[in-house]
Amino acid sequence: MGRETAMYVLHYAPDNASLIVRLALMELDQPHRAVLVDRRVRAQDGAAYRRLNPNGLIPALETPEGALFETGAILLWLSERHGALAPQPGDPARGDFLKWLFFVSNTLHADARLAFYADRHAGQGADVAAFLAATQDRIAGHLALLDAMAATRPAWFSPDVPSVLTLYVSCLLRWLALYPAETLGWLDLARYPALHAVAAATERRPSARQAALIEGLGDTIFTAPSYACPPEGSAT
């Protein structure tokens, strides 16, 4: 099967990190099939899914070259395979793009998971509220760095043209605003005007509108998000 006609299988749960990959596939106009990983029955822990992603995290993407996992790796692989949504090898902007992609994947996304599941990660006997507050303080610092970068409007992180990085960050902004539920509203996107501009432009794109319908996300999915009401599966 050639690159132009490759069929991908996206193993997803609504309003999970698979949303980022779904948006990238749509932006790349790549045919794909979505298969629900039902979190209500912990399908991500089943043997069938663990064969695709041994970490039991969502998403996994089946490709003609095998299954991929880790959101950042999937996005980088897709951008290279299809020559879009990122500066390509040999482009002078490639280094700057990569350092921010890995910062988002390894630092921002990692701290977001600590915040979302603070009760799991704080440690036995720890002050969970203090752990969460410290994590959110770090996240605010990460977002300030990203906002300063975005204010320079590099071609790979701009409201004008989507990239795997703008898709990634826009989704993280959504989830940071919604989770954990006990600190709903802690993230004020107005504090990050350059990121707000990217998120606003991203949510107006046809890919975002289509994904929002598929996963039950509402209209202003990045700038004023509401909890998902998906037609199938569960976001949590």
Side-chain angles (χ1 to χ4, degrees), residues 17 20 71 103-114 168 172:
I20 310 166
T71 302
F103 173 78
V104 168
S105 179
N106 294 352
T107 304
L108 177 59
H109 196 171
D111 267 347
R113 285 189 56 81
L114 293 181
Y168 201 161
L172 285 173

Side-chain angles (χ1 to χ4, degrees), residues 171-215:
C171 289
L172 285 173
L173 291 172
R174 169 183 173 79
W175 301 319
L176 288 168
L178 293 175
Y179 300 103
E182 58 266 30
T183 60
L184 178 66
W186 79 274
L187 176 65
D188 179 7
L189 193 52
R191 293 174 55 193
Y192 311 102
L195 295 182
H196 186 283
V198 168
T202 303
E203 75 183 8
R204 292 193 296 266
R205 294 192 61 78
S207 62
R209 293 186 177 278
Q210 185 179 355
L213 287 174
I214 293 170
E215 300 196 12

Side-chain angles (χ1 to χ4, degrees), residues 80-130:
E80 290 182 350
R81 182 175 177 89
H82 298 288
L85 296 182
Q88 297 301 297
D91 188 319
R94 176 78 169 177
D96 281 342
F97 162 78
L98 286 176
K99 69 187 182 187
W100 286 106
L101 176 64
F102 279 77
F103 173 78
V104 168
S105 179
N106 294 352
T107 304
L108 177 59
H109 196 171
D111 267 347
R113 285 189 56 81
L114 293 181
F116 300 158
Y117 305 107
D119 56 333
R120 301 181 194 174
H121 295 291
Q124 188 173 7
D127 184 334
V128 176

